[in-house]
Amino acid sequence: MNNEGRHDRSADDAPTGRPADGVSAVRPARRPPRPESATGRSGGPGARPLPPDDRRTSVLPPVRDEVPPHLRDPIDVVKAALDGTPAKKAPATKAAAPPAPPRRPGGRSKAAPRPEGRRGRVNWRWVRRGIVAAAIAMIVLPIITFAMAYMIVEVPRPGDIRTNQVSTILASDGSELAKIVPPEGNRIDVTIDQIPVQVRNAVMAAEDRDFYSNPGFSITGFLRAIKNNLFGGDLQGGSTITQQYVKNALVGSERSGLGGLLRKAKELVISTKMAGQWPKDEVLQSYLNIIYFGRGSYGVAAASKAYFDKRVEDLTVAEGALLAALIQQPSGLDPAVDPEGARERWNWVLDGMVEIGALTPQE
């Protein structure tokens, strides 16, 4: 006992009491009691002897929360170290996640750089598959749609399509008394034999130079029309004579919006099927009897009267080439309206007749 009345004991003799929560207390092997004097521990007279204290413990430091998880020892290793047995080899595990990025003074954490993982990569295999699937859809679906429409659509037979014509009232001696003109204009139907061959060739040179060989729809003509509209070029259109006839006689001439797309699709299907069912001469004859030439004249016979005041059978090569030049712009290319434009288009038609072999360069 010291001068303050307290017992002097070593740290090993201090009772620990109940260990704190979360702190492991390890009790070592019991040691033999130290010899005590008869007078007590301190040797003072009359001191009460103290029993030997075997509650010696060692206090382990607590596991603090601020220690990163990837730096903590596995529990199996700790137990093995305390028990004095070799620890089992820990199985291989994935690398621990890196610590959180430091926070800025304002309280917002600095964003860590995005790792180069699977999310940052482009799966080119699926991109290629998508491109192939889109290409197949763009090619296969139109073909299937065209085939179904081709089977369903009905094409009228030659002679079934009737057009209004000028009615001429004659006297008993053959003199003309009156004419009744239909609302859509002057029209007089003629047969293919009444139309001179060079007039037919001029119309084909102006509107469809491979008329007798195409299937009613010209892919090259369609692509040529797109190129000419974008970059400039000759004035030949993209529709064949068969398509123009179908447009004027059956499906109308709507050009814009959804109606224009549907009209073009029907025109394509009907003209392709008509080219397989109608003779080419029948298509050309019907076309020349229905097409508009300007000056209120529908058909080549009415145009011959309106421009040259003669029968269609009497037309010359130059006159037939002029009528063929008017089909593209009947009112705008009228020689009485635009003589220079009419001459330019007329020369272009004559050059086309040389190209298809209907005329020689000298002619």
Side-chain angles (χ1 to χ4, degrees):
M1 181 176 292
N2 56 17
N3 55 0
E4 293 180 0
R6 298 179 181 176
H7 289 281
D8 289 331
R9 290 192 295 179
S10 64
D12 294 338
D13 297 336
T16 60
R18 185 176 180 181
D21 293 339
V23 180
S24 302
V26 180
R27 186 185 299 274
R30 180 175 296 182
R31 299 179 182 177
R34 292 180 294 180
E36 300 286 346
S37 62
T39 59
R41 249 183 172 184
S42 60
R48 185 178 179 181
L50 295 175
D53 189 0
D54 57 355
R55 295 177 297 171
R56 287 168 294 180
T57 60
S58 60
V59 180
L60 298 176
V63 178
R64 301 184 181 278
D65 294 338
E66 60 268 20
V67 180
H70 66 283
L71 297 180
R72 298 178 184 175
D73 293 329
I75 191 64
D76 295 338
V77 177
V78 176
K79 289 182 178 180
L82 295 177
D83 296 340
T85 58
K88 297 180 179 179
K89 187 176 181 180
T93 58
K94 293 182 179 180
R103 290 186 174 273
R104 293 181 178 178
R108 298 179 63 182
S109 60
K110 184 179 180 181
R114 185 176 181 181
E116 292 294 335
R118 295 179 64 88
R119 292 185 178 180
R121 300 175 185 170
V122 177
N123 195 330
W124 291 108
R125 178 182 298 176
W126 286 105
V127 172
R128 288 192 295 269
R129 290 179 179 177
I131 294 175
V132 172
I136 293 175
M138 293 177 63
I139 296 174
V140 174
L141 289 181
I143 293 176
I144 295 176
T145 304
F146 178 84
M148 294 178 62
Y150 188 90
M151 295 173 61
I152 295 173
V153 71
E154 293 290 339
V155 176
R157 292 175 297 178
D160 289 347
I161 301 176
R162 297 296 180 182
T163 55
N164 295 327
Q165 303 179 51
V166 174
S167 299
T168 304
I169 302 175
L170 302 176
S172 58
D173 58 357
S175 60
E176 182 179 317
L177 295 179
K179 283 187 177 180
I180 301 175
V181 182
E184 65 268 24
N186 188 12
R187 176 181 287 115
I188 303 172
D189 284 354
V190 292
T191 64
I192 192 69
D193 297 331
Q194 293 177 264
I195 304 172
V197 174
Q198 291 295 43
V199 175
R200 287 180 257 165
N201 290 334
V203 172
M204 288 188 291
E207 298 299 319
D208 189 0
R209 294 182 181 179
D210 56 349
F211 167 71
Y212 278 97
S213 61
N214 66 45
F217 178 80
S218 175
I219 297 294
T220 57
F222 182 74
L223 297 177
R224 182 173 59 251
I226 294 178
K227 179 182 74 67
N228 294 341
N229 289 334
L230 293 177
F231 305 105
D234 57 38
L235 301 177
Q236 187 174 2
S239 296
T240 63
I241 286 178
T242 310
Q243 287 179 264
Q244 293 183 51
Y245 173 67
V246 170
K247 178 182 69 174
N248 285 276
L250 297 175
V251 300
S253 58
E254 187 173 359
R255 294 178 178 270
S256 61
L258 182 60
L261 292 176
L262 293 176
R263 190 269 302 171
K264 198 67 177 178
K266 290 190 292 184
E267 176 187 305
L268 171 62
V269 174
I270 297 175
S271 60
T272 305
K273 196 167 185 177
M274 179 179 288
Q277 296 181 0
W278 284 31
K280 288 289 186 177
D281 285 346
E282 288 281 356
V283 177
L284 183 59
Q285 172 184 303
S286 301
Y287 172 77
L288 289 174
N289 281 325
I290 199 175
I291 200 69
Y292 183 61
F293 288 89
R295 298 189 183 182
S297 57
Y298 288 82
V300 66
S304 178
K305 282 285 186 181
Y307 285 91
F308 304 109
D309 193 22
K310 60 173 58 176
R311 299 184 309 160
V312 65
E313 296 90 340
D314 299 331
L315 289 174
T316 65
V317 175
E319 293 167 345
L322 177 61
L323 293 181
L326 295 172
I327 295 176
Q328 187 189 53
Q329 297 179 15
S331 300
L333 292 177
D334 189 325
V337 177
D338 185 7
E340 292 299 324
R343 181 182 296 273
E344 180 181 354
R345 179 70 175 176
W346 177 70
N347 282 320
W348 185 86
V349 173
L350 291 173
D351 291 340
M353 295 180 69
V354 174
E355 182 180 326
I356 65 176
L359 290 177
T360 64
Q362 291 77 16
E363 291 172 321

